[in-house]
Amino acid sequence: MQKCDDGKRNGDTMDHREGKEGQLDPDDEVLLEMPLDNSDRLTRDKAKYFTEDYEENDRVSLVHGRHERIPFKDFFAEVRGFRDLEIFLENTVLLLDMPETGMTEIFERLIREVSEQENLSIDMEEAKQALFTHDSVHVLGKTIQGTSYTHGVGFDYDQSWIVALCELPLLLKRYVAIGRLRHAANLGSTSQEVRFVILVLAPSKEKTTKNAMETGRTFATLFVDLEFKHLLLDVKADWEFKALLSEHAKKLAKEQGNPDCRNSHLQLTAFDDLEGDKSRCPIARGMIGDLKRRLPHYFSDYKDGIYGNKTIHKVTSTTLFLYFACVLPNIAFGMLNDTNTHGAIGVKKILFSQCVGGIIFAVFGGQPLIVLLTTAPLALYTKIIFSICEDFKLNFYGMFACVGLWNTFFLLIFSIFDVSKMMKWSSRSTEEIFSLFITCAFSADAIRDTVRNFKSNYYNEACQNLSAALTSVTPSLDVNMSVTDHMTQAAPPECLKENSILFLLLMLGTLWLGLTLYNFTTTPFLNAGRREILADYALPTAVLIMSVIGSVIFRDIQIKPFSYNPDEELFVVAPLHTLPPAAWVAAAGLGFSLSLLFFMDQNISSALVNTPAHKLKKGAAYHWDLFVVAVINGFLSVFAFPWVHAALPHSPLHSGACA
């Protein structure tokens, strides 16, 4: 049996401590105000001031202390950890057997060595102010330490090492200095036997993945291991010290990559074994576990949408956000399906499918934060099915329904036999790559539509004829036709360059306005509450404002509306009986491929919703959600409605909008 060790032993954790100082000048006077009544009115000149007399060197200050538990660096899933380690090991200032024992002397030498090796001009006093909270008595302001909890003993700090964080505004990149002390030093109440000091110098303004905290977390994860620290105490050379760090990081990555050892959010929330006998029938154990986990919170999902601080405001803003975030791509995919299927599946069916599927999933699904939508890959799959039907003279509705029913069958198999457990092999990098793919797909659709619009209205044959006519006209008194008349005859109504310009203006304007309002919380304008309101309503506000601009200010420009057939019949059972046996077999292959797409989309979207960063409390329901999605799409397939599954980026954005 392989030993699982990702850097945590006996309940080890890491604690981040931050201290900030606010000083009270001893020369300041404190005014004591007392309530006055009519019988004893005190005039202003009788008010008493109470002043404390201090010694010449006495100082009074306020120190803000905060402890925060931070996760270990996952060298398997977080690529940044390995990259940081490789870069810093090449340039790290490493001092072995430092004779200094005082806190000031230790950090002054580390800062001085960094300045000399990297040819920097670091102001020592400025560095001390950023590193310590007091001027006279030095106390480290921001540190990372290891902590452990032993049952029956209690909570304790690992006092053999400490990571100190120092952020300076003049630095352009990060630097790391590691010092191994010859004798244990007392650097504070929770670090009285320090042998290893890790100093992280970083710019004050740096993105989250590269700030001092993330860099310190990388090295802190390595020093948590007790046996590893003993090895570091025995090394004699710098290269040997760095080699041990690199090998230990690779060992951690290998152990963290083992699914039996990984402490991933999928294992903690969705794939716990059922309590009881292990020999019971394994069928549907995942779904039963999901129901046991989620049913106790079912009614609280409704209650939490009504009661709570700012709940009504958040629900309202989230509803409007989702309305525009879902309706606009639905119309776009409806037009795309209408074009690809020659009107067989249009905007009306798309909208109805989203409404029915979303409501059913919201009521019966395990994770109500997930948003079901049709996506670009599904629209492409629909086009492939239509092309096959045209080539082999098959009924499209029947073939579409048959593929959807086979897809439902395979999804039911996946959910009943807990195939979603395979997702524990999926790392965060996989999720981010999939999210990047969805982002690129949406961006490509927007660019493709823009190019298509310009080709239809700006660079079409009519516009080219108009340009040729304008260049061929020469002013002459003998010409019976004026230039204006010539332009009128040479310019057919199909040349609509203004439509393309307006298309581009509205698209970029909506994007710019939405991002500006969404990021309004980072500006100093207005107060915090109003900035938050603007950020919450960024998308609907941007869409409505740009829609008014396009409809009112540019009302003279005739824009072609999207096609919509209000008389289209919806609940017409697909003619499955018209398909030959060979079509059923072919539909099974298409349905299996489609089920793999559903499986990946559904589970990765669920994982991004249930990520620990969202701090959800009610648990996940991967198996049950996949089962509900299978049933929903089975119903939609019978009537040849478009399919739906968990959508990116709408699902994680929904979670963020509710926060």
Side-chain angles (χ1 to χ4, degrees), residues 477-495:
L477 296 176
D478 298 333
V479 176
N480 296 326
M481 184 190 308
S482 65
V483 174
T484 304
D485 295 336
H486 190 100
M487 290 176 56
T488 304
Q489 294 185 10
E494 287 77 12
C495 183

Side-chain angles (χ1 to χ4, degrees), residues 61-130:
S61 61
L62 302 176
V63 177
H64 163 62
R66 185 181 69 181
H67 292 267
E68 178 183 356
R69 182 176 178 177
I70 60 177
F72 290 90
K73 178 72 73 173
D74 190 343
F75 289 97
F76 176 78
E78 300 182 49
V79 181
R80 174 66 62 182
F82 247 125
R83 291 180 57 189
D84 284 348
L85 191 63
E86 293 174 354
I87 294 173
F88 289 121
L89 285 182
E90 295 179 0
N91 305 312
T92 295
V93 174
L94 181 60
L95 302 177
L96 300 182
D97 299 329
M98 293 177 61
E100 292 83 359
T101 57
M103 181 187 299
T104 305
E105 292 79 8
I106 292 172
F107 287 100
E108 281 183 352
R109 183 177 176 186
L110 291 175
I111 295 172
R112 189 164 53 250
E113 292 291 337
V114 172
S115 300
E116 293 176 358
Q117 178 172 316
E118 301 296 335
N119 195 20
L120 300 174
S121 58
I122 299 179
D123 187 351
M124 188 64 69
E125 293 301 321
E126 182 182 2
K128 288 182 181 180
Q129 291 179 1

Side-chain angles (χ1 to χ4, degrees), residues 46-62:
K46 291 183 179 181
K48 294 183 178 180
Y49 294 82
F50 293 82
T51 307
E52 294 290 339
D53 294 328
Y54 299 100
E55 296 292 339
E56 182 178 355
N57 295 326
D58 287 344
R59 304 288 290 179
V60 175
S61 61
L62 302 176

Side-chain angles (χ1 to χ4, degrees), residues 223-238:
F223 281 85
V224 166
D225 193 330
L226 180 62
E227 297 177 0
F228 176 67
K229 290 198 293 286
H230 284 301
L231 294 176
L232 293 179
L233 288 172
D234 297 332
V235 299
K236 303 300 183 181
D238 293 0

